[in-house]
DNA sequence: CTAAAAAACTGGTCAGACCAGTAGTGATAA
DNA sequence: TTATCACTACTGGTCTGACCAGTTTTTTAG
């Protein structure tokens, strides 16, 4: 076949998308064999290199597995949703979680500091509401309000870059950590400590005391980081025990 | 080259792993260009198809982006910051530059602080070299060494997250600002002020004084930000005059 | 009928060619 | 002088056809 087709994106990618769709539509079932590369070539009227790159893409995304001499097969397990690339990258280093929190600590501190300086009435209302919701909530929903609280503070900094970066870090952390922050709430003293931190941050912002808010935010993130670090080491059995004993 | 190497897994995958590791180790920074496919071919002594499949794998995992005619680039840790409609919205406003520097200020401070604590002999050597190169250089190349200096410090923090975020911010700043930092050097008093800052940062790190280094870095970034802000307002005619009068 | 050998698959790699965008260079025209 | 445009030398994208290295099937020799 001649070599034309300017194509949108790339042929290889469009092939990958086709196969992906077939898998998604259950036309190809897990464990099932995918037509051989040479078959796909002639059927789709493209070169083998294009097909190979397409398969390599699906391979990287763990949608298929490939064995030399045998063929390519639809992967058995698909469940894991897309997780952030950079995290997968760091997954080996357990230090990564610490690194993430180290940076986050600094930026949360800055966000709280700026929020104390710049928050409008509207911002203060939102922060107050988030704070109260958080105090009253329990269990799983607590994590949600926790997040909302921090986000409200970030937005009150009125620095879009800061907001954006913090949101990115949040996402990385979410994907990274197995023991969700919500688990920490199951330990009584931990919970009380975090409440205390939150109140300090809140007070600092409301009263327009930047340094106080910053300091509290840094202490808070630092504390959470340390707790998570401990759990990472001991495994999550501690949490389970605590939950069971409750 | 002949085609041997039964290889474990596959050549393509091992190439991908190599590049992945370089990204993880911050040897390749976000936004940075990856050697062209043909360069990688000859350097690694493999065929282009193998290289292409490796890049396709990294592409699928969103660790790199590829553009026809341009090349492949390490992806940003801050997802689609440039495309983010949220940030794009603010990009016109000159305030955005201020926002960028506000965050950068904080992170450069942290980087300097950590560098003063964690820098190895190798790090110190690199930082020293960058510092001396910068002091001796003039004109356009100065901006290059300036960047290298800050980058060396960031890497000495040994926090990959921090390194990547700073690199991403650098990218955003580059895109945002018309008046390059290098222009600032054309003003004598500005130049001297920056030299002074750089020396303070350098001394703080070399002597292992985190707080001093942090403070100097924050002051430095703050100063640069203010200067740029001024020029943005007045237009760049001031710079031109200064250059002409020299 | 069985077991070993051969043939016909499979994916993995290599080589060289050409197409299609991009960017820098230099010559030409205004 | 400056601005424009064609040209050239990059970049990635695709195609072709060959050979290597495993796996499976078929054939063949015992």
């Amino acid at each position: 076949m001649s070599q034309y087709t300017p194509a949108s994106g790339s042929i290889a990618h469009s092939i990958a998308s086709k196969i992906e769709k077939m898998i998604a539509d259950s036309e190809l079932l897990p464990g099932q064999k995918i037509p051989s590369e040479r078959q796909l070539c002639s059927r789709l009227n493209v070169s083998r290199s294009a097909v190979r790159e397409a398969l390599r893409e699906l391979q990287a995304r763990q949608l298929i597995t490939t064995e030399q001499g045998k063929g390519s097969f639809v992967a058995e397990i698909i469940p894991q949703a897309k997780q952030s690339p950079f995290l997968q990258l760091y997954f080996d280093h357990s230090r990564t979680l610490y690194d993430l929190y180290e940076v986050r600590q600094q930026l949360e501190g800055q966000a709280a500091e700026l929020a104390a300086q710049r928050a409008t009435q509207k911002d203060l209302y939102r922060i107050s509401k988030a704070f109260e919701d958080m105090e009253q909530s329990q269990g799983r929903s607590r994590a949600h309000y926790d997040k909302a609280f921090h986000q409200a503070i970030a937005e009150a900094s009125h620095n879009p870059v800061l907001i954006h970066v913090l949101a990115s870090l949040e996402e990385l952390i979410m994907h990274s950590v197995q023991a969700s922050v919500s688990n920490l709430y199951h330990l009584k003293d931990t919970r009380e400590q975090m409440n205390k931190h939150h109140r300090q941050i809140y007070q600092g912002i409301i009263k327009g005391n930047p340094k106080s808010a910053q300091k509290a935010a840094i202490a808070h993130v630092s504390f959470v980081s340390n707790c998570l670090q401990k759990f990472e080491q001991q495994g999550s059995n501690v949490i389970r025990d605590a939950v069971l004993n409750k």
Side-chain angles (χ1 to χ4, degrees), chain A:
Chain A
M1 178 133 211
S2 59
Q3 50 245 29
Y4 40 57
T5 35
S8 62
S10 77
I11 289 191
H13 183 66
S14 74
I15 294 176
S17 298
K18 270 183 196 168
I19 298 178
E20 180 184 353
K21 187 175 185 302
M22 290 175 71
I23 296 177
D25 294 348
S26 299
E27 296 177 34
L28 289 173
L29 297 175
Q32 191 173 340
K33 185 164 184 281
I34 288 180
S36 77
E37 295 178 355
R38 288 171 176 86
Q39 283 179 341
L40 287 173
C41 289
S42 63
R43 190 185 303 184
L44 299 174
N45 263 308
V46 295
S47 74
R48 202 177 146 209
S49 22
V51 169
R52 278 190 60 76
E53 289 185 23
L55 294 182
R56 181 69 70 174
E57 180 180 331
L58 296 174
Q59 229 171 301
R61 298 174 49 192
Q62 302 188 27
L63 287 175
I64 66 174
T65 63
T66 298
E67 291 175 83
Q68 185 174 12
K70 293 183 179 174
S72 294
F73 307 83
V74 178
E76 296 287 351
I77 37 101
I78 318 176
Q80 58 167 356
K82 53 171 184 186
Q83 59 182 354
S84 188
F86 275 93
L87 176 69
Q88 188 80 17
L89 189 65
Y90 296 136
F91 236 132
D92 312 324
H93 309 292
S94 60
R95 231 190 83 83
T96 304
L97 185 61
Y98 179 79
D99 291 328
L100 274 166
Y101 268 94
E102 192 168 67
V103 176
R104 189 189 171 198
Q105 177 179 330
Q106 197 79 2
L107 294 181
E108 286 279 358
Q110 186 176 29
E113 180 186 10
L114 294 178
Q117 294 172 336
R118 301 177 182 168
T120 65
Q121 285 301 320
K122 210 172 193 174
D123 293 326
L124 291 177
Y125 170 74
R126 270 199 286 244
I127 294 175
S128 297
K129 186 169 188 316
F131 179 71
E132 287 163 12
D133 286 346
M134 185 172 56
E135 289 244 297
Q136 291 172 9
S137 67
Q138 285 181 354
R140 220 155 272 119
S141 65
R142 180 117 193 177
H144 172 260
Y145 286 119
D146 187 311
K147 189 178 167 187
F149 177 64
H150 287 282
Q151 192 173 318
I153 293 175
E155 286 175 8
S157 76
H158 291 276
N159 182 327
V161 176
L162 180 58
I163 297 171
H164 190 80
V165 174
L166 268 175
S168 300
L169 290 183
E170 171 74 19
E171 193 179 346
L172 285 178
I173 290 173
M174 287 298 239
H175 286 300
S176 153
V177 74
Q178 293 84 357
S180 167
V181 179
S182 62
N183 287 338
L184 297 181
Y185 276 113
H186 293 134
L187 302 175
K188 186 157 180 277
D189 49 347
T190 301
R191 182 173 58 233
E192 289 176 352
Q193 187 65 40
M194 289 179 70
N195 286 345
K196 186 180 160 195
H197 284 151
H198 280 146
R199 200 170 298 114
Q200 284 176 343
I201 299 172
Y202 176 69
Q203 293 291 340
I205 295 175
I206 294 293
K207 293 182 179 174
N209 190 337
K211 283 304 160 194
S212 167
Q214 180 192 28
K215 201 173 169 185
I218 290 179
H220 173 60
V221 175
S222 173
F223 176 75
V224 173
S225 174
N226 285 333
C227 290
L228 285 177
Q229 216 72 18
K230 280 181 198 161
F231 289 143
E232 288 283 304
Q233 289 171 3
Q234 311 177 13
S236 53
N237 24 20
V238 181
I239 301 176
R240 294 229 178 92
D241 293 348
V243 174
L244 291 177
N245 290 338
K246 190 179 67 175

